[in-house]
Amino acid sequence: MSDFAKTKSMFHLPEGLIYLDGNSLGPLPKHAADKMNSVMLDEWGEMLITGWNKAGWMDQPTRIGDRIGRLIGAEAGHVVIGDTLSIKVYQALASALEMRPDRKVILSDSGNFPSDLYMAEGLIASLNTGHELRVVAPEDVAANITEDVAVTLITEVDYRTGRRHDMQHLTQLAHAKGALTVWDLAHSAGAVDTDLSACNVDFAVGCTYKYLNGGPGAPAFIYVAPQHAHIARPALSGWLGHKAPFAFEQTYAAGAGIERMRVGTPPVLAIAALSAALDIWDMVEMQDVRSASIALTDQFIAGIEAHCPMLRLASPRDPNIRGSQVSFHFEHGYAAMQACIAQGVIGDFRAPDIMRFGFTPLFIDAHDVDEAVMRLKEVFDTELWRAPEFQVRSAVT
Ligand SMILES: *Cc1c(COP(=O)(O)O)cnc(C)c1O
């Protein structure tokens, strides 16, 4: 059984604050500072260039990849970290498209995160071979998996509403029509019990600074299924994805399996912080995280509906099709979220009117949920959000 009281004690959580935004940026693991300090002084400082071998820096992308892989149901040796999620989307999509040369459609949905759609547009423009990005409503994805679809590019959990797609079903449909699947796990990894292997997913990508708590700008990850890992051509053919980087050959030859999805030098300092976060993830089972998350989100929905009737639920009520976040519509959502933050409950706002709250059992418990509901009740009972200071918009919402 996962011990969530223990994991909670391992995070730096500012006094008096209830942090319901771990879905955007996870909090700091207490021992991350020591870990980074040690990598800086003992490894970078003392070992200098020899750290690549002595401290094992060069193998970190696959070693860390496997620790993430356990949380998303990936086979060992099939996840590697590096770059940012946008870049990994491009990489996975480019590889998948090349494996379906006779087809020209990338199918995505309007609930997808804009960066995924932008990367697809950019790739299509660069290829200039007549590809089309077809964006349909989330509920219409299944019906639009037709025989001209090369690849589906779907984010499992919608960043605005928390609606969870049926990965197994959609992957099956795609395969039945001869299409490949790229799944974005930005709001799945560390949030829900995704099982890539059981679902037979072809490619998956995700980031580590949201639910996984790797720190701002922490590296992304990419998964390639065993049957494709030795076939997929990496569109970004950097030297560290070469089969022998230190042979410094003039022409590119892809590395073995997932190694080929590496591009350039791994971010060793950022990996130190991510590795500290994974020390905590190593202590829990995703099934326990998922059931605790469902209990917390159910509790929050019931509390808000009882005490803040002006908020309208934007997330699915059925926990089986909901991720680990709860969103509500409110016309003055931006100002209201600023008022909530002033009351010590941090969530975030997504245009046009969504107030979003994320729940991570690793550091949020039932008491926090009750307390958050009471503080929100105060904000709405007193219409605190009408105060002028809450109307000013910052760049990051
Ligand atoms: C957060 C998020 C991103 C962000 O990409 P970065 O390159 O890490 O900035 C991309 N896609 C989805 C679905 C996201 O939720």
Side-chain angles (χ1 to χ4, degrees):
M1 224 11 226
S2 311
D3 181 352
F4 293 124
K6 168 81 181 156
T7 59
K8 183 171 185 172
S9 75
M10 295 177 75
F11 285 96
H12 176 92
L13 300 166
E15 193 60 41
L17 195 73
I18 301 171
Y19 190 61
L20 304 182
D21 210 2
N23 51 305
S24 242
L25 175 69
L28 171 70
K30 283 179 183 164
H31 70 295
D34 280 346
K35 198 147 188 167
M36 276 197 92
N37 201 43
S38 156
V39 170
M40 283 203 179
L41 296 177
D42 306 337
E43 298 185 7
W44 179 17
E46 290 298 315
M47 296 179 190
L48 292 161
I49 190 78
T50 67
W52 288 108
N53 292 320
K54 263 197 218 157
W57 293 341
M58 205 39 102
D59 303 329
Q60 281 175 341
T62 42
R63 267 193 288 128
I64 297 283
D66 277 344
R67 292 170 78 188
I68 296 167
R70 185 184 75 87
L71 305 172
I72 54 176
E75 301 85 356
H78 287 275
V79 177
V80 71
I81 60 163
D83 315 298
T84 76
L85 175 50
S86 303
I87 289 174
K88 280 352 211 179
V89 166
Y90 188 95
Q91 220 181 357
L93 196 54
S95 293
L97 279 183
E98 227 177 86
M99 293 166 67
R100 289 292 178 273
D102 301 333
R103 296 178 178 216
K104 297 295 179 193
V105 176
I106 300 169
L107 179 67
S108 192
D109 73 67
S110 54
N112 206 346
F113 190 79
S115 198
D116 295 38
L117 303 176
Y118 302 162
M119 293 311 279
E121 276 181 36
L123 174 61
I124 288 170
S126 295
L127 289 173
N128 197 21
T129 43
H131 286 90
E132 172 202 341
L133 174 62
R134 191 176 293 163
V135 181
V136 302
E139 57 276 18
D140 295 336
V141 170
N144 280 278
I145 303 179
T146 44
E147 277 174 2
D148 54 351
V149 173
V151 185
T152 59
L153 172 62
I154 307 287
T155 296
E156 186 185 14
V157 177
D158 186 301
Y159 74 104
R160 279 203 197 93
T161 64
R163 188 257 317 113
R164 185 182 185 184
H165 272 302
D166 186 338
M167 178 181 275
Q168 179 127 40
H169 178 61
L170 292 181
T171 302
Q172 224 165 38
L173 282 181
H175 289 169
K177 300 282 177 171
L180 292 169
T181 55
V182 175
W183 283 95
D184 188 325
L185 308 182
H187 299 276
S188 306
V192 297
D193 48 352
T194 301
D195 194 338
L196 295 178
S197 177
C199 292
N200 219 357
V201 164
D202 302 289
F203 294 84
V205 293
C207 52
T208 63
Y209 52 81
K210 292 174 180 165
Y211 289 94
L212 294 180
N213 316 309
F221 64 85
I222 183 166
Y223 162 86
V224 183
Q227 69 273 25
H228 305 314
H230 295 272
I231 301 164
R233 192 188 70 85
L236 303 174
S237 43
W239 75 301
L240 286 186
H242 191 280
K243 71 173 195 246
F246 288 89
F248 299 105
E249 287 165 5
Q250 291 240 317
T251 50
Y252 184 80
I258 195 69
E259 293 279 354
R260 66 184 56 192
M261 291 299 171
R262 295 175 64 157
V263 181
T265 304
V268 174
L269 299 181
I271 290 174
L274 171 57
S275 156
L278 291 171
D279 291 342
I280 306 178
W281 282 106
D282 287 347
M283 298 164 52
V284 301
E285 296 300 330
M286 266 329 286
Q287 283 72 17
D288 298 337
V289 172
R290 178 65 175 151
S291 41
S293 150
I294 287 175
L296 293 174
T297 49
D298 276 347
Q299 181 193 347
F300 187 70
I301 291 171
I304 292 296
E305 290 190 330
H307 296 288
C308 309
M310 58 296 290
L311 298 190
R312 187 165 54 83
L313 186 64
S315 298
R317 196 173 291 283
D318 175 0
N320 295 311
I321 53 167
R322 189 173 71 223
S324 200
Q325 67 175 71
V326 176
S327 302
F328 289 95
H329 295 286
F330 182 59
E331 189 189 345
H332 307 284
Y334 181 81
M337 187 54 82
Q338 297 311 304
C340 294
I341 294 170
Q343 295 300 101
V345 180
I346 298 189
D348 59 22
F349 172 76
R350 287 293 174 262
D353 66 346
I354 297 261
M355 298 179 72
R356 187 172 73 155
F357 303 90
F359 296 83
T360 305
L362 260 56
F363 60 86
I364 293 293
D365 59 25
H367 172 78
D368 295 324
V369 172
D370 280 340
E371 179 61 27
V373 167
M374 285 303 117
R375 291 187 195 181
L376 263 60
K377 173 176 163 51
E378 175 79 13
V379 164
F380 289 101
D381 280 355
T382 62
E383 300 199 341
L384 180 65
W385 53 268
R386 290 193 189 274
E389 70 261 36
F390 300 133
Q391 317 300 319
V392 187
R393 295 217 181 192
S394 314
V396 176
T397 62

